[in-house]
Amino acid sequence: MGGCVGTNARDGSGSSRRTSSGEGSASLRGKNVPLRHEKIRWKSDMPLTEGQVRSKRDEFWDTAPAFEGRSEIWDALKAAALAIENQDYDLAQAIIDGANIMLPNGTLTDCYDELGTRYQLPVYCLSYPLNILQRSPDKEGEVEVGEGSVEGEEVVLKVRLSTTSKDVKLTVRSTDTIATSKKKLAMQENLFDARQRWFYGGKLLGDRLHVCECNIQHNYVVQAIITEEILTAVES
């Protein structure tokens, strides 16, 4: 997806989240150096908006635990990555040390747990690309505006609910985020006590992504995976 500038870390945009520890990595497993107090500088092959980067992060963290590796290590890596994004390197180091994660190169792009299992984070989980787009156009070429604005093109989405396999029409605006669109669907279909995960073209749509950034074709279906949350009422 992109190349790093001034660093040997890979972007990790491929399907590999964790790889087996073979001969090539055996010499690295015993090494551990402190976390580097610097952001990875890299460029994306195609310029991305902040919303698109965050959507890719959401997709990675949502699917990474399904691959090999321990869930508690993935949780620690996610927390450490968030601390790095906020430039709190001391907190990130404390999280890494607490989880017994080893960093042969001082970055989370290549690390190991105490059992020798290798974990790799893509660079977009740790920093934004140097060529990030500050603004993104909607389908009519207008500049996107903040969430909650009445500006933007009206868009009718066809959303398929996993609970009923029924396709429903949902009217949103091109400047709405996916999170806002989910709220509108919840109001329309009475899904207030359910969690929603939206997929289009086999990819998870992150909550911070704007509708105009999803490139949803007319009359194509957005899959909405609905997970019911059972709430227990406690009488006082």
Side-chain angles (χ1 to χ4, degrees):
M1 169 182 145
C4 295
V5 179
T7 178
N8 292 326
R10 299 185 297 112
D11 71 344
S13 59
S15 61
S16 175
R17 266 70 169 177
R18 175 265 186 189
T19 59
S20 299
S21 303
E23 293 181 1
S25 60
S27 61
L28 295 176
R29 291 202 301 267
K31 297 174 59 178
N32 188 26
V33 299
L35 178 69
R36 295 179 186 174
H37 289 203
E38 59 185 33
K39 284 191 175 182
I40 296 176
R41 300 172 67 246
W42 62 285
K43 286 186 177 181
S44 172
D45 293 337
M46 294 182 60
L48 301 171
T49 65
E50 180 179 342
Q52 288 172 322
V53 174
R54 290 196 172 275
S55 178
K56 289 177 70 65
R57 290 180 181 179
D58 290 342
E59 180 181 3
F60 177 82
W61 292 121
D62 197 65
T63 57
F67 289 76
E68 293 186 46
R70 296 152 57 193
S71 60
E72 62 268 27
I73 299 298
W74 285 118
D75 290 341
L77 290 172
K78 183 177 182 179
L82 180 59
I84 290 173
E85 183 181 358
N86 294 325
Q87 300 188 50
D88 192 342
Y89 296 101
D90 290 338
L91 175 59
Q93 185 69 66
I95 294 171
I96 292 167
D97 292 342
N100 294 320
I101 297 172
M102 293 180 291
L103 309 179
N105 301 306
T107 73
L108 295 183
T109 56
D110 191 21
C111 49
Y112 297 83
D113 64 16
E114 58 188 339
L115 301 179
T117 304
R118 188 182 187 185
Y119 300 78
Q120 295 175 291
L121 300 191
V123 290
Y124 57 74
C125 284
L126 303 172
S127 64
Y128 288 102
L130 296 175
N131 57 338
I132 191 169
L133 295 176
Q134 298 302 318
R135 300 181 299 178
S136 63
D138 66 14
K139 294 179 181 178
E140 296 297 324
E142 298 295 332
V143 174
E144 70 175 3
V145 294
E147 182 178 346
S149 172
V150 296
E151 298 184 32
E153 180 187 34
E154 188 174 90
V155 179
V156 178
L157 301 179
K158 181 184 289 187
V159 183
R160 181 167 298 163
L161 308 181
S162 64
T163 51
T164 62
S165 297
K166 179 179 69 173
D167 292 348
V168 300
K169 292 183 177 181
L170 178 68
T171 301
V172 298
R173 307 202 76 84
S174 61
T175 49
D176 284 343
T177 63
I178 295 300
T180 298
S181 302
K182 287 179 180 179
K183 292 177 182 177
K184 291 183 177 181
L185 180 64
M187 293 180 63
Q188 177 178 303
E189 302 295 324
N190 193 25
L191 300 173
F192 296 105
D193 295 332
R195 180 195 177 199
Q196 301 181 43
R197 295 166 64 209
W198 285 21
F199 293 83
Y200 176 70
K203 293 185 177 180
L204 176 72
L205 301 181
D207 284 346
R208 296 181 180 87
L209 197 64
H210 289 76
V211 172
C212 63
E213 298 173 317
C214 299
N215 297 320
I216 300 173
Q217 301 298 313
H218 177 66
N219 225 28
Y220 277 56
V221 174
V222 175
Q223 301 282 347
I225 307 300
I226 311 298
T227 304
E228 298 290 344
E229 295 181 356
I230 301 176
L231 302 179
T232 303
V234 180
E235 297 183 358
S236 56

